[in-house]
Amino acid sequence: KNRAYIVMKVTDREGREIISRRGKGNEGTNLFELEGTGNMAPGNYLLEVVVNSRDLLSMPLVKKG
């Protein structure tokens, strides 16, 4: 609803950061793309999105081969 600072990252099973992106969101709906996911090896990952350094969304991400 308000402008926000967004941090998105993809980590592997061992917690190593594979991809990270930071940016500012505008009021309303926003669309962010994570470039480089095509280079990831098939496997299980975790996608985390942090908004304003406090609100966390975490979900599994599966890259198929």
Side-chain angles (χ1 to χ4, degrees), residues 4-5 8 10 12-13 15 17-18 22 28-29 32-36 38 43 45-46 50-51 58 60-64:
Y5 184 72
M8 297 178 290
V10 176
D12 65 11
R13 286 185 152 180
E17 190 173 292
I18 305 299
R22 303 171 194 286
T29 303
F32 294 94
E33 294 183 22
L34 280 175
E35 294 181 12
Y45 298 89
L46 183 67
V50 180
V51 180
S58 179
L61 176 67
V62 178
K63 169 74 183 227
K64 295 191 177 194

Side-chain angles (χ1 to χ4, degrees), residues 2-64:
N2 299 317
R3 292 187 60 139
Y5 184 72
I6 310 295
V7 177
M8 297 178 290
K9 68 179 178 177
V10 176
T11 56
D12 65 11
R13 286 185 152 180
E14 287 76 38
R16 293 181 294 231
E17 190 173 292
I18 305 299
I19 298 173
S20 179
R21 180 167 185 247
R22 303 171 194 286
K24 292 184 181 178
N26 296 315
E27 289 185 32
T29 303
N30 290 264
L31 175 67
F32 294 94
E33 294 183 22
L34 280 175
E35 294 181 12
T37 56
N39 299 326
M40 293 168 38
N44 296 314
Y45 298 89
L46 183 67
L47 170 63
E48 293 183 341
V49 180
V50 180
V51 180
N52 290 333
S53 299
R54 60 172 194 211
D55 296 325
L56 172 67
L57 168 67
S58 179
M59 66 182 66
L61 176 67
V62 178
K63 169 74 183 227
K64 295 191 177 194

